[in-house]
Amino acid sequence: MLEIKNLHATIAGKEILKGINLTIRDGEVHAIMGPNGSGKSTLSAVLTGNPLYTVTEGSAYFNGKDLLTMKPEDRSHEGIFLSFQYPVEIPGVSMTNFMKAAINAKRAYEGLEPMKAAEFLKLMKEKRELVGIDKKLSHRSVNEGFSGGEKKRNEIFQMAMLEPKLSILDETDSGLDVDAMRIVADGVNKMHTPATSTIVITHYERLLDMIRPGTVHVLYNGRIVKTAGPELAKEIEQRGYDWIKQLSTDD
Ligand SMILES: Nc1ncnc2c1ncn2[C@@H]1O[C@H](COP(=O)(O)OP(=O)(O)OP(=O)(O)O)[C@@H](O)[C@H]1O
Ligand SMILES: [Mg+2]
């Protein structure tokens, strides 16, 4: 699914990613943890093609295709979805129209006709129910005036609509109450198939109790310094990151 080798990236001339190696196979769920500022959001931004970041070294292949030379929208059409740590508001664009445009852009990329109106509405209903979001939200402008929790839930709804191959959830738990976290986790779990993969970026073991990754990585100072099973998340919850920082070889 995803193969990252020795990935280095900078922003504003400052090196943030300092040699990331990460392989994710079909059907796997990986968690990435790590202290604030370690580069977790940077990694997801680089994978989805955020132009603020410059890749200076290394490679990232997605299902055999060179991700780093692909336009951001093509990465999305190929099946990468990023749920943002801070979702943006798009005033004046209804959720319905936004989703229709996104789905039809993906279909055009695949050489398909736009989706029929009836089929689209059926899909919207099905996915709304899956994620448990209110119908009223789909008539409102994208994220405008949504509460933090509603924005996060809406991101999962968008993910469900687009049926990505690889979903990257960047701290989808922050700002969610426990019930909303359960709904998000259930949505993610229900969408998971042997052909899809998920990267969950989080600070909390609680979300990982619900999503259950097979592999947990700790990112520290731009490098993955530890990789283990789900028990690593529990250990971090109890011990913090200090003991892991000592595993890092430099500064
Ligand atoms: N425009 C910028 N100019 C300079 N440094 C930046 C810029 N954007 C991000 N950084 C730095 O990049 C580093 C990594 O940030 P990143 O957002 O990837 O961390 P993170 O691991 O996601 O942290 P958190 O857990 O707080 O979300 C931080 O030190 C941050 O200050
Ligand atoms: Mg972050």
Side-chain angles (χ1 to χ4, degrees):
M1 175 79 63
L2 180 70
E3 179 133 45
I4 303 174
K5 281 191 181 145
N6 191 33
L7 188 65
H8 291 248
T10 61
I11 185 160
K14 184 179 164 205
E15 184 167 65
I16 308 292
L17 300 184
K18 303 176 180 176
I20 301 279
N21 294 295
L22 178 64
T23 301
I24 297 180
R25 293 179 193 81
D26 293 2
E28 290 183 349
V29 179
H30 289 230
I32 300 182
M33 304 182 79
N36 295 131
S38 54
K40 304 180 298 297
S41 294
T42 301
L43 176 61
S44 51
V46 167
L47 292 177
T48 48
N50 184 325
L52 289 174
Y53 299 86
T54 309
V55 173
T56 51
E57 214 181 316
S59 63
Y61 280 81
F62 181 60
N63 292 322
K65 293 186 181 165
D66 183 356
L67 205 54
L68 302 178
T69 58
M70 247 184 244
K71 285 188 283 187
E73 58 270 29
D74 290 348
R75 302 182 197 201
S76 153
H77 296 149
E78 287 287 337
I80 295 191
F81 179 88
L82 171 62
S83 164
F84 290 101
Q85 187 169 10
Y86 305 105
V88 290
E89 302 190 3
I90 315 178
V93 179
S94 76
M95 270 304 296
T96 308
N97 284 335
F98 179 73
M99 281 325 308
K100 203 179 278 171
I103 284 196
N104 286 333
K106 184 168 184 227
R107 287 173 68 93
Y109 183 80
E110 291 164 349
L112 298 171
E113 297 281 304
M115 192 178 267
K116 299 255 184 326
E119 192 187 344
F120 176 75
L121 292 175
K122 190 168 155 261
L123 187 69
M124 285 279 282
K125 180 169 186 284
E126 184 190 311
K127 301 300 184 180
R128 248 193 341 253
E129 284 169 6
L130 181 82
V131 181
I133 75 165
D134 199 306
K135 191 175 179 190
K136 277 181 265 171
L137 286 187
S138 50
H139 299 305
R140 287 169 54 184
S141 295
V142 179
N143 287 330
E144 195 182 17
F146 285 22
S147 77
E150 286 169 347
K151 281 184 188 170
K152 297 285 171 167
R153 227 187 269 210
N154 192 31
E155 293 266 308
I156 300 301
F157 169 68
Q158 292 172 28
M159 171 178 152
M161 287 292 289
L162 292 170
E163 300 180 345
K165 294 191 185 103
L166 173 66
S167 304
I168 306 172
L169 309 174
D170 191 358
E171 284 172 36
T172 305
D173 49 351
S174 46
L176 289 186
D177 62 45
V178 183
D179 290 342
M181 204 190 279
R182 165 63 63 195
I183 286 165
V184 165
D186 283 351
V188 170
N189 290 340
K190 278 183 214 157
M191 274 180 263
H192 195 75
T193 75
T196 61
S197 309
T198 308
I199 300 176
V200 188
I201 298 173
T202 184
H203 287 290
Y204 303 107
E205 197 250 333
R206 191 162 51 165
L207 183 71
L208 301 182
D209 250 354
M210 301 179 189
I211 294 186
R212 303 198 165 279
T215 310
V216 176
H217 308 275
V218 177
L219 190 62
Y220 175 67
N221 194 16
R223 290 192 188 93
I224 289 175
V225 295
K226 193 160 177 66
T227 296
E231 69 285 355
L232 180 57
K234 286 212 164 48
E235 197 166 3
I236 286 164
E237 186 90 0
Q238 284 157 11
R239 296 177 65 191
Y241 287 112
D242 277 354
W243 63 284
I244 282 177
K245 289 177 186 173
Q246 283 151 23
L247 302 174
S248 178
T249 45
D250 65 15
D251 59 56

